[in-house]
Amino acid sequence: MSSINDSSRGRGRPREFDIDEALDRAILHFRKHGYNGVSIADLSGALKLSSGSIYKAFLNKHNLFSAALDRYMALRGAKLLDIINSEESGREKLRRLLVFYAESSHASEGRYGCLVIVGAVELASTDEEIAAKVSSRTRRKSEKRLKDIILQGQNDGSISKKVDAETTARLMLSLAQGMRVLGKTGQKREDMMAVVDAAMQLLN
């Protein structure tokens, strides 16, 4: 793990802090409160670091958010990749992906929300760097991933060939992102899983 010196203990007595741990705390705080709703002072308390240490490591709130978004997308991408690269049928892969989003969309985890959505809603229209991370190209990449899974399911017989792969992939992505938004309002697990079950019926 990478680390950065924290000089908050005084000159000549630097203390190292783990950068990934700091980013993980920043992720939770930004997910819960958004970007515009937090200050460096708020983040100082959440990260358990002095404001000076945050400025020294990241220069400003924007850079901290950008680094947190990169880590968030990398961590979630790795989990999704594990599902995609499994030897399961296309139908089961798609179900596991939807369940992954459903599990992130209820109780306390759901109320934290999605950091990608925070970036898209609060910053993408005015911030080129964040817009590039959550761009339509990123969305198209996610749609293609889902389309490939649906096509695999049609080839292995687990998904009906009557299903339009491209349109259904777009629908599934919209559904997954919608669940994350609903999660902020406080949802029950059984309700989110019922959505997954209904979505899977569309593949018959």
Side-chain angles (χ1 to χ4, degrees), residues 150-165:
I150 292 170
L151 290 174
Q152 178 192 332
Q154 290 178 325
N155 288 332
D156 65 34
S158 61
I159 294 176
S160 171
K161 292 186 180 295
K162 295 183 296 183
V163 170
D164 184 289

Side-chain angles (χ1 to χ4, degrees), residues 6 26 35 39 82 88 112-113 117 123 129 148 168 174 193:
D6 176 0
Y35 179 82
S39 65
D82 285 342
E88 297 168 317
Y112 274 112
I117 292 175
L123 296 173
E129 180 183 339
D148 289 344
T168 304
S174 298
M193 294 306 298

Side-chain angles (χ1 to χ4, degrees), residues 7-195:
S7 58
S8 62
R9 296 173 65 185
R11 290 185 179 180
R13 299 178 61 197
R15 180 180 64 190
E16 289 193 343
F17 68 87
D18 185 86
I19 190 71
D20 290 340
E21 182 177 338
L23 287 175
D24 288 342
R25 289 174 175 167
I27 286 169
L28 287 176
H29 203 69
F30 281 127
R31 284 174 61 196
K32 186 174 182 180
H33 301 286
Y35 179 82
N36 295 319
V38 301
S39 65
I40 287 292
D42 298 326
L43 290 164
S44 176
L47 274 62
K48 300 179 181 179
L49 297 171
S50 69
S51 297
S53 295
I54 294 175
Y55 282 121
K56 183 176 181 180
F58 301 103
L59 300 181
N60 52 45
K61 184 177 78 168
H62 177 275
N63 286 355
L64 172 56
F65 180 83
S66 182
L69 181 59
D70 284 341
R71 178 162 172 79
Y72 179 79
M73 293 175 72
L75 290 173
R76 293 185 71 82
K79 292 179 181 179
L80 293 175
L81 197 60
D82 285 342
I83 295 174
I84 294 168
N85 290 336
S86 70
E87 296 182 0
E88 297 168 317
S89 69
R91 186 186 190 91
E92 187 56 29
K93 285 182 182 181
L94 185 56
R95 179 176 179 81
R96 285 185 61 200
L97 283 173
L98 292 178
V99 168
F100 173 76
Y101 282 103
E103 293 289 9
S104 302
S105 304
H106 67 87
S108 59
E109 174 66 12
R111 289 189 179 91
Y112 274 112
C114 174
L115 197 61
V116 174
I117 292 175
V118 170
V121 172
E122 296 193 40
L123 296 173
S125 62
T126 58
D127 188 310
E128 291 184 3
E129 180 183 339
I130 300 303
K133 296 179 189 293
V134 297
S135 66
S136 57
R137 188 173 75 175
T138 302
R139 179 182 174 87
R140 288 195 297 271
K141 182 178 179 180
S142 297
E143 286 181 2
K144 183 181 184 305
R145 181 167 54 197
L146 288 166
K147 179 181 176 181
D148 289 344
I149 292 174
I150 292 170
L151 290 174
Q152 178 192 332
Q154 290 178 325
N155 288 332
D156 65 34
S158 61
I159 294 176
S160 171
K161 292 186 180 295
K162 295 183 296 183
V163 170
D164 184 289
E166 184 172 352
T167 301
T168 304
R170 189 171 299 120
L171 183 151
M172 293 297 177
L173 180 60
S174 298
L175 177 67
Q177 293 178 336
M179 284 195 287
R180 297 309 309 276
V181 174
L182 283 175
K184 291 286 285 185
T185 66
Q187 298 293 315
K188 296 179 180 178
R189 184 180 187 277
E190 54 266 33
D191 292 336
M192 292 295 94
M193 294 306 298
V195 170

